[in-house]
Amino acid sequence: MPAAEKLTNTPELTVSELSSALKRTVEDTYGHVRVRGEISGFRGPHSSGHCYFALKDESAKIEAVIWKGVHARMRFKPQEGLEVIATGKLTTYPGSSKYQIVIEAIEPAGVGALMALMEERKRKLGAEGLFDESRKQLLPWLPEVIGVVTSPTGAVIRDILHRLQDRFPRRVLVWPVKVQGEGSAEQVAAAIRGFNALPEGGRIPRPDLLIVARGGGSLEDLWSFNEEIVVRAAADSMIPLISAVGHETDITLIDFAADKRAPTPTAAAEMAVPVRSELFVEVTALARRTMICWQRSQEGRRNELRAAARALPAAAELLAIPRQRLDSAAGALPRGLKANTHAHHRRFSQASAGLTLKVLRGQVAHARQRLTVSGERITLSTRALLRQRRDRFAGLEVRLKASKLANAQAQRNAIARDRERAQRLAERARRALLTAMQRLEARVAHSGQLLSALSYRGVLARGFALVRDAHGHALHAAAAVGPNAHLTIEFADGRVGATADSDRPPATPEPDSAPKPAPRETKTMAAKRVVKPVDQGSLF
C-alpha cells in the first residue's frame, strides 16, 4: 500500500499543534547548552531592549536572542564579529519555523578575544576624552583621610595599612567590594561614586584621596577593572584617585582613567603619603637654618641701629625751637581766653534780648489763627465731599431701578418666547405621532393581506387537499404512501381520516425521469423532514 494510504487513520495536527510539539521536543532534548561561535548580524539592542543576532562558524549558523533583563545584567556585551561562548536554552520560534538559542550568559572565547575587546573599548573611551591628561588631578601632599576600594579579606588591604603605618599613619576608610567575578564591576563603581557622594563635614569624613587596589591575576581575573562602568566612575571622580590593580606588568583600563597609576598596591600607599621620619629630619634642618638666618638678621639690624644713632643730632638741639614756641604760646594763652569769653558774652546778650514775653505771645496768637483757618477749611471740604457722594449715590439708585425694570421686562419677553416655542413643538410632535401611527396601521393591514394571500388555506379553499401521514407529516409523493397506511386529509372546512389501498400497483417511473430512491430511504427521509404545525400559516 502507498504510504499516504497507510497514514489515513493518523490523527490530524494543526500547524500550531505541530510547532508546539516540536518546541517541547527540542527544549526537552536540549536543556542548557554551551555554544562557541562568532557573533553575526548584531546591530545593537532592538527598540524593545532585546538583542537578536546569529552565532556562526565555518559551516553553520544558529539564530540567537538575549532578552532585555538578561542583557542589562551581562558583564560582557555582545559585539559584531566577536568570538564568544554562549550558554542558554535551545528552543524554536513557531512564527518562522526556526530553532534558536535563548542566551543567558556570554563570555569571550579566549584571551585573544578579551584583548581585542579591551583594545576596542580603549579606543572608544579614549575618543570620548576620558583618558586625557587635562582631566587628571594632582594628588594631595598629605591627605587626612584615605579611602581604599578593595576586598576586605585579601592581602592587599593589609599591605596598604602596613605601608601607611610605616611611612605616615593616616585615617583609612575601607569600602569592601568584590574584585573578581559576577557583579564585581558594579560594586567597584558604586564604591567610587559612594566615596564622592559623602558630604563635607559629615558624620563619615570625606576622603582626600582614593586608592582602588587588587592583587595580581590573569586577564580574566582583572577584567572587572576593564568594564566601562568602572572606567567612567574613575574618570568622573572628583577625589584624586590612584589605580593599583595587579602587578607592574598588568594593564587595565582604569589605569588610564585614574589620576595616578601605581605598579603595586604597596607602591600606591607610598605615593599617598610621605615618610614621617624624613619629614622630621627635614623640618629640624629647616628650623636650624631659620634660627641661624634670624640671628644674622638681628645682628645686621643692630649694627644699622648703632650707625644711625651715631649720625643723629643731640636731643637738646632738636627740641630747642619747639620749646621756645611752646613758651610763647603759653604766654599768649590768658589774653586769648579773656577775649574769647567777652565775644561769647556779647552774642548771648543779643540773643536774650530777642526772647521777650511779647514776642512769644505774638507767635502763639499767629499759630492759633492758622489753626482756626485750617479747621474751617476742613469743615467746608467735608461738607462738599458729602454732597458729592450723596449726589453720586442718588444717580446710581436711579440707574439701578431702571436696570432692574429693564431686566424684568427682558425676562418676561424670553419666557413668552419660550412658551410659544414649546407650543409649536408640541403641535408638531402631535402631528408627527399621528402620521407615524397611520403608517404603522397601513403596514399592518398590508402584511395581513399578504399573509392571507400566501397562506396554504387559500389553496385549500380552491378545491385542493393536504395529505398527512399518521405522524402528521405532509406527503408530497404517492411513492411515500405504503399499503394500508393511515392518512389524514385536510380540506378547507376540516379534516377526515383515510386508509391507503393495499392492492395499489407501484408507480412506474417515466422513461426520461431520474430514478427515485427506494421506499425505505424515502420513508426515512420523509420521517426526518420537519413540518410546521397544521394551524400555523407560512408566508413561503
Side-chain angles (χ1 to χ4, degrees):
M1 295 178 64
E5 295 181 1
K6 293 181 181 180
L7 298 177
T8 302
N9 296 329
T10 303
E12 298 177 353
L13 295 176
T14 63
V15 176
S16 299
E17 292 174 348
L18 181 58
S19 299
S20 300
L22 291 174
K23 180 180 178 67
R24 289 193 299 270
T25 301
V26 171
E27 291 178 352
D28 293 342
T29 305
Y30 301 94
H32 282 75
V33 296
R34 285 171 58 86
V35 181
R36 179 169 182 160
E38 179 183 342
I39 295 179
S40 175
F42 181 73
R43 298 295 181 268
H46 192 263
S47 59
S48 61
H50 310 314
C51 299
Y52 302 96
F53 54 92
L55 295 176
K56 68 177 183 178
D57 55 11
E58 295 81 3
S59 58
K61 183 175 73 171
I62 181 174
E63 299 294 331
V65 60
I66 303 177
W67 302 129
K68 177 180 179 181
V70 178
H71 181 264
R73 296 192 303 268
M74 281 187 170
R75 293 174 52 205
F76 298 100
K77 305 300 182 182
Q79 296 183 10
E80 177 68 19
L82 183 64
E83 186 177 4
V84 297
I85 299 176
T87 303
K89 295 186 297 183
L90 202 64
T91 183
T92 63
Y93 179 56
S96 58
S97 299
K98 294 180 180 179
Y99 68 92
Q100 61 185 7
I101 178 172
V102 179
I103 297 177
E104 298 176 353
I106 192 171
E107 59 186 16
V111 179
L114 287 177
M115 292 299 297
L117 180 60
M118 179 177 173
E119 290 298 327
E120 176 65 24
R121 189 170 294 172
K122 180 180 177 181
R123 287 193 297 271
K124 172 187 173 184
L125 299 178
E128 297 181 12
L130 299 184
F131 303 152
D132 294 345
E133 290 295 329
S134 59
R135 297 175 56 94
K136 300 187 182 302
Q137 309 175 69
L138 296 177
L139 301 183
W141 183 73
L142 185 60
E144 292 292 334
V145 181
I146 300 175
V148 180
V149 179
T150 187
S151 174
T153 58
V156 172
I157 184 60
R158 292 194 295 270
D159 293 342
I160 293 176
L161 294 177
H162 183 266
R163 196 59 176 167
L164 291 176
Q165 186 67 26
D166 290 343
R167 292 176 64 86
F168 205 118
R170 296 281 86 185
R171 184 174 182 180
V172 178
L173 298 179
V174 179
W175 195 301
V177 296
K178 290 173 58 179
V179 295
Q180 180 179 346
E182 184 71 25
S184 58
E186 288 76 8
Q187 292 187 14
V188 172
I192 297 174
R193 299 187 188 279
F195 273 132
N196 280 269
L198 292 177
E200 294 283 352
R203 186 174 61 87
I204 300 177
R206 192 170 188 263
D208 302 316
L209 179 67
L210 294 183
I211 298 176
V212 179
R214 189 206 186 282
S218 62
L219 182 60
E220 291 83 356
D221 297 337
L222 303 179
W223 188 255
S224 298
F225 299 92
N226 293 321
E227 293 291 349
E228 186 174 341
I229 185 174
V230 176
V231 177
R232 293 188 181 276
D236 296 338
S237 176
M238 300 304 296
I239 303 175
L241 187 143
I242 299 177
S243 171
V245 178
H247 297 302
E248 188 169 0
T249 57
D250 297 327
I251 300 296
T252 57
L253 295 182
I254 193 177
D255 298 334
F256 299 97
D259 300 306
K260 195 74 173 179
R261 177 186 178 268
T264 61
T266 305
E270 295 176 354
M271 293 179 181
V273 294
V275 181
R276 188 176 184 181
S277 59
E278 295 178 357
L279 291 179
F280 283 153
V281 173
E282 186 176 356
V283 168
T284 303
L286 292 175
R288 185 173 59 256
R289 292 175 60 186
T290 303
M291 180 59 66
I292 294 173
C293 292
W294 181 79
Q295 291 175 355
R296 289 178 180 176
S297 176
Q298 291 298 320
E299 185 64 28
R301 293 186 179 184
R302 187 179 296 110
N303 295 331
E304 292 176 359
L305 180 59
R306 290 172 182 171
R310 286 193 298 268
L312 288 175
E317 297 177 0
L318 293 175
L319 298 177
I321 295 176
R323 185 182 296 115
Q324 186 177 359
R325 292 175 58 186
L326 178 61
D327 293 340
S328 299
L333 181 61
R335 294 192 301 271
L337 290 176
K338 290 179 180 180
N340 190 21
T341 302
H342 289 305
H344 282 84
H345 185 267
R346 285 195 300 270
R347 291 178 60 186
F348 178 75
S349 298
Q350 292 175 1
S352 61
L355 295 176
T356 60
L357 183 60
K358 184 178 180 179
V359 175
L360 292 177
R361 288 176 180 176
Q363 292 180 353
V364 170
H366 181 67
R368 185 181 293 111
Q369 184 180 0
R370 290 180 59 189
L371 180 62
T372 303
V373 173
S374 299
E376 292 176 355
R377 292 177 62 184
I378 291 174
T379 303
L380 294 176
S381 299
T382 304
R383 291 175 181 176
L385 182 61
L386 289 175
R387 284 196 302 271
Q388 291 177 1
R389 294 293 176 87
R390 190 180 295 109
D391 296 341
R392 183 180 177 186
F393 289 154
L396 292 176
E397 183 180 3
V398 172
R399 292 175 60 186
L400 181 60
K401 290 181 179 180
S403 176
K404 183 177 180 182
L405 293 175
N407 189 18
Q409 185 62 31
Q411 295 294 333
R412 294 191 192 95
N413 295 338
I415 293 172
R417 289 195 300 270
D418 292 341
R419 184 184 296 109
E420 183 179 357
R421 182 182 179 187
Q423 291 177 357
R424 291 198 304 268
L425 292 176
E427 182 63 23
R428 290 176 60 185
R430 185 181 63 78
R431 291 196 300 268
L433 181 61
L434 291 176
T435 303
M437 292 297 294
Q438 292 174 1
R439 290 177 180 176
L440 291 176
E441 290 177 356
R443 289 180 61 185
V444 170
H446 179 70
S447 299
Q449 294 175 1
L450 183 61
L451 180 62
S452 300
L454 298 178
S455 177
Y456 77 95
R457 295 185 181 277
V459 178
L460 296 180
R462 293 199 298 269
F464 294 93
L466 178 61
V467 181
R468 304 177 186 273
D469 58 6
H471 301 287
H473 298 155
L475 300 176
H476 302 279
V481 180
N484 297 324
H486 295 284
L487 304 176
T488 300
I489 303 175
E490 181 179 356
F491 297 94
D493 56 349
R495 299 181 181 182
V496 296
T499 304
D501 297 336
S502 60
D503 55 352
R504 181 175 58 85
T508 58
E510 297 181 1
D512 296 335
S513 62
K516 297 184 179 179
R520 183 177 61 186
E521 296 179 358
T522 303
K523 186 174 182 180
T524 304
M525 294 175 61
K528 292 183 180 181
R529 185 184 303 274
V530 178
V531 181
K532 298 180 180 179
V534 176
D535 53 353
Q536 180 177 350
S538 175
L539 297 177
F540 306 101

